[in-house]
Amino acid sequence: MSKTQKTTHPNCLELVYSGEDYFSRLEQIIKNAKYEIHLQFYIFKNDAVGAKIIEKLKEAAARHVKVYLMLDGFGSFSFPKEVAEELRERGVNFRYFSPFFSANSFYIGRRLHHKIVVADAHVILIGGINIADKYHGKPGKAPWLDYAVKIDDPIIAKKLQLLCRDLFFKKRYFFKKKIETALNTKEKTIVSIIQNDWLKRKNEIYDAYINSFSTAKKEIVIVGSYFLPGRRMNIALKKAAKNKVKIKLILSGISDVTLSRRATYHIYSTLLDNNIDLYEWNTTVLHGKAAIVDGNWTTIGSFNLNNLSSYGSLEMNVEIKSITFASSYLAHLNEVIAQCQRITPESLKKRKNISSGFINWLSYWAARLILNIVTYFPQKRFKKFY
């Protein structure tokens, strides 16, 4: 698949693709770091790609760069203890967020789902890409489909670095308002870092999606891994479709979570009944989490359109208000759509049978039950605000 022009705003704002594009940039950011770098990831595998990044972090620490690496205690549970200890010995500040087996882990659903890097209070890499071979790809095997954004701007990077530092050291200081800046470009470009964390009463990403869908006039394009939206998200999408907004939903035909994929299959009929166009990506696992609305609002990050992201995990997205950036990304997504399988009422009937229908139905209600149990308390808390 060809990649559209990436330099939408030279030197300050770039769309980044999973694969070598992402990891070569990550290595360069680590290599160029002068005094401080923060990395926060849900999954960090000790495979070929992970080992390479680990070596780069050791080299940075040897140059007296302050390196802070925080991994989720559940998502990176398999990260070797001896490697973690070696990183500490080599000067890397390393810790887990909410270790899975800990007296302090009172809420299993509140995981660190971030995929962010910020270096020298100047450059940011943020998106949905974890550190593992499957996001990089191997010879003859394409990477999982996912995205990130590289931002080179000291105003927004400085604020994000402070936030990362406070989170690493378990401080209570969080920005009350979303982190935002206007980039110095030919057009007016507003870039914001938006968060979700129910414990801190942060629901910025969820609200941004709802507001954008509710006010859409022409088109909504969604990249939806693990797609199982809650009640308010469903209402917003149905309202947009009813208002003649063209909605295109790119979903995963191949998934690493079978229960999630089956649960999404169950709602295909409802989505089609609401005139939402469905496209399945069957080349690799689709892991991207993104949306473009009316060709001027884009969000990319860690946030999935389901209740776990809405009310459970710590999530971080970038929100970009720019016609230029949206246009470039939309051109790429149209290339993706051209290689997807279009799901129609006719094709859905052909793939359905009693057995698969029952499995999809069971998966849907099992997924709903699990998500409702895990997010019961934060959902109850946020009901006060809606």
Side-chain angles (χ1 to χ4, degrees), residues 367-385:
R368 283 291 189 206
L369 179 62
I370 292 169
L371 290 174
N372 284 336
I373 290 173
V374 171
T375 63
Y376 173 76
F377 290 109
Q379 284 194 68
K380 192 173 181 181
R381 182 175 185 174
F382 273 117
K383 279 182 181 178
K384 300 175 183 178
F385 304 102

Side-chain angles (χ1 to χ4, degrees), residues 96-376:
Y96 288 106
F97 176 88
S98 190
F100 195 48
F101 297 107
S102 168
N104 297 321
S105 296
F106 66 96
Y107 178 63
I108 191 174
R110 187 172 182 262
R111 309 309 319 174
L112 180 77
H113 203 230
H114 294 174
K115 290 92 175 170
I116 58 173
V117 179
V118 56
D120 294 341
H122 201 286
V123 62
I124 299 167
L125 198 57
I126 177 172
I129 303 169
N130 288 297
I131 308 298
D133 285 347
K134 53 196 175 188
Y135 299 93
H136 181 277
K138 298 178 180 180
K141 192 171 183 179
W144 287 11
L145 186 64
D146 210 338
Y147 305 98
V149 177
K150 180 175 176 285
I151 306 166
D152 197 335
D153 180 82
I155 296 174
I156 198 167
K158 183 177 181 180
K159 293 178 180 179
L160 182 57
Q161 184 163 296
L162 287 172
L163 189 151
C164 288
R165 190 185 297 166
D166 290 344
L167 188 57
F168 187 92
F169 289 107
K170 303 181 182 180
K171 294 184 179 180
R172 294 186 177 275
Y173 177 73
F174 270 60
F175 289 93
K176 293 182 179 179
K177 295 182 180 180
K178 65 183 179 183
I179 303 171
E180 185 173 271
T181 190
L183 296 183
N184 184 21
T185 59
K186 291 181 180 180
E187 66 167 335
K188 185 179 180 181
T189 300
I190 305 297
V191 175
S192 306
I193 303 298
I194 50 179
Q195 307 169 67
N196 253 55
D197 181 0
W198 70 273
L199 197 61
K200 303 292 184 182
R201 295 189 180 182
K202 288 279 187 182
N203 221 22
E204 295 168 347
I205 308 173
Y206 182 80
D207 288 342
Y209 266 106
I210 295 292
N211 293 337
S212 296
F213 291 167
S214 298
T215 59
K217 303 297 182 185
K218 298 177 181 178
E219 183 182 56
I220 298 171
V221 180
I222 300 169
V223 182
S225 59
Y226 317 117
F227 183 80
L228 201 63
R231 184 182 62 85
R232 291 188 66 228
M233 196 77 72
N234 270 318
I235 290 172
L237 285 171
K238 289 178 181 179
K239 178 184 175 183
K242 191 175 180 180
N243 290 335
K244 308 301 181 183
V245 175
K246 186 71 172 175
I247 302 176
K248 298 178 182 179
L249 183 53
I250 305 170
L251 299 170
S252 182
I254 305 170
S255 178
D256 60 321
V257 183
T258 303
L259 180 68
S260 175
R261 176 171 58 86
R262 287 286 190 176
T264 303
Y265 282 174
H266 180 69
I267 63 174
Y268 272 12
S269 294
T270 302
L271 294 169
L272 290 170
D273 288 344
N274 283 278
N275 297 315
I276 295 175
D277 294 341
L278 304 183
Y279 301 92
E280 275 188 355
W281 174 257
N282 291 297
T283 304
T284 58
V285 171
L286 184 148
H287 192 259
K289 311 104 168 38
I292 304 171
V293 178
D294 288 343
N296 57 32
W297 180 88
T298 304
T299 189
I300 297 172
S302 68
F303 186 90
N304 290 301
L305 295 185
N306 60 39
N307 277 358
L308 187 59
S309 281
S310 299
Y311 300 110
S313 302
L314 277 74
E315 307 283 1
M316 192 172 287
N317 273 37
V318 59
E319 177 187 63
I320 303 166
K321 296 176 183 177
S322 162
I323 294 173
T324 303
F325 187 91
S327 176
S328 176
Y329 189 28
L330 190 57
H332 167 75
L333 291 184
N334 282 332
E335 291 182 9
V336 170
I337 287 173
Q339 298 177 61
C340 286
Q341 178 187 355
R342 175 80 180 268
I343 305 299
T344 64
E346 293 73 27
S347 66
L348 192 59
K349 284 181 182 178
K350 289 180 181 179
R351 73 158 64 173
K352 260 190 174 183
N353 56 52
I354 295 174
S355 175
S356 65
F358 175 73
I359 293 172
N360 294 345
W361 174 86
L362 189 62
S363 298
Y364 173 82
W365 288 108
R368 283 291 189 206
L369 179 62
I370 292 169
L371 290 174
N372 284 336
I373 290 173
V374 171
T375 63
Y376 173 76

